[in-house]
Amino acid sequence: MESNETQEERYLEKKVHGISVRQIMYIFAGVTLIISVVLLIITYRANSRYSAILDHTENYIEWQSDAASLSAASDYLTEQARCFTETGDPEYLNNYFTEANETRRRDKALESLKDAFGETEAYLALEAAMNESIKLMEREYYAMRLTSDAYRIESSLLPEEINKVELSAEDAALSPEAKEALARSLVFDDYYHDTKSAINENLSECISKLVDH
């Protein structure tokens, strides 16, 4: 009786339309291998694309947060300056300069976006918003100096930035009530409002460019 090995070899050598069973098995194995490799490549590319999309989404959220942080800091400075001109309470003055000199959300947001993008349109739009915000600070300083004089706050209690502000001869000669009124107008007038609008427009431009990135 023939051994099982001999029977198996004869089966593998059996011809099917001129092709041996062994050859058919090799072809199937080769096709299976090719399909497996293709599937592995597709899976790898899909995973890589997903990871890239996830990374970009996370980065976009962080960059958008930077833009929002600059906006929030600018609004906070406006609020504290306005509250000080309305009340003369030094607490608002302290809050203002804590944000400007210590917390520094605007500066940190700008630095973060510059590290991520360099001199791109998104960064330049945020930088423009920062420059507009700095313009308002000069106006706010002057308004806060007027208020400090109107309420006769001792210079030793004032931040150095306010002590350095020099009022014009005309403004220095105003009555306390007139100084208060002028200070309030400086942080509530059309120029101030227009500059705040410019800040918001630049921030919107920044976010728009981040979406396109």
Side-chain angles (χ1 to χ4, degrees):
M1 186 175 183
E2 293 180 297
S3 66
N4 290 337
E5 182 177 351
T6 302
Q7 292 177 0
E8 181 179 351
E9 288 178 353
R10 287 182 177 177
Y11 172 76
L12 292 175
E13 295 302 327
K14 184 178 179 180
K15 300 290 184 177
V16 178
H17 298 297
I19 304 175
S20 69
V21 173
R22 186 190 300 276
Q23 289 174 321
I24 293 173
M25 290 179 65
Y26 286 158
I27 292 171
F28 280 143
V31 170
T32 300
L33 178 61
I34 292 171
I35 292 174
S36 298
V37 171
V38 170
L39 288 175
L40 284 173
I41 293 173
I42 293 173
T43 301
Y44 173 77
R45 288 182 175 178
N47 287 336
S48 298
R49 183 179 294 274
Y50 173 77
S51 296
I53 292 173
L54 184 61
D55 289 343
H56 182 77
T57 301
E58 291 176 348
N59 287 335
Y60 172 73
I61 292 172
E62 181 180 348
W63 299 329
Q64 190 177 42
S65 177
D66 288 333
S69 183
L70 192 151
S71 177
S74 178
D75 289 344
Y76 180 79
L77 292 174
T78 291
E79 178 186 25
Q80 299 308 304
R82 285 175 169 174
C83 286
F84 180 65
T85 61
E86 288 282 357
T87 67
D89 187 343
E91 180 181 357
Y92 296 114
L93 197 60
N94 293 332
N95 292 342
Y96 182 99
F97 284 100
T98 296
E99 170 65 43
N101 297 333
E102 296 178 26
T103 310
R104 299 176 61 250
R105 283 180 289 174
R106 298 175 311 165
D107 303 87
K108 291 175 182 177
L110 198 62
E111 291 166 5
S112 176
L113 208 62
K114 186 173 184 179
D115 289 341
F117 289 95
E119 299 291 329
T120 60
E121 291 183 350
Y123 168 77
L124 293 175
L126 193 65
E127 185 180 47
M130 179 66 165
N131 291 337
E132 295 293 340
S133 186
I134 290 173
K135 283 182 186 178
L136 286 187
M137 288 183 77
E138 297 173 2
R139 196 174 181 84
E140 289 159 355
Y141 282 12
Y142 199 87
M144 290 188 286
R145 177 55 190 268
L146 283 167
T147 303
S148 300
D149 280 14
Y151 282 88
R152 295 183 173 85
I153 300 174
E154 294 182 14
S155 60
S156 60
L157 300 177
L158 297 175
E160 183 181 358
E161 291 90 340
I162 299 303
N163 280 323
K164 286 182 177 179
V165 174
E166 294 185 7
L167 299 180
S168 68
E170 182 181 359
D171 293 341
L174 293 173
S175 66
E177 294 76 16
K179 287 179 179 177
E180 287 182 51
L182 177 58
R184 285 193 292 270
S185 71
L186 288 174
V187 293
F188 282 100
D189 64 7
D190 289 341
Y191 175 86
Y192 195 94
H193 175 76
D194 291 343
T195 306
K196 289 292 291 185
S197 295
I199 291 173
N200 293 330
E201 288 173 5
N202 282 309
L203 288 171
S204 296
E205 177 71 10
C206 173
I207 293 174
S208 174
K209 296 302 180 184
L210 289 176
V211 173
D212 296 338
H213 187 267

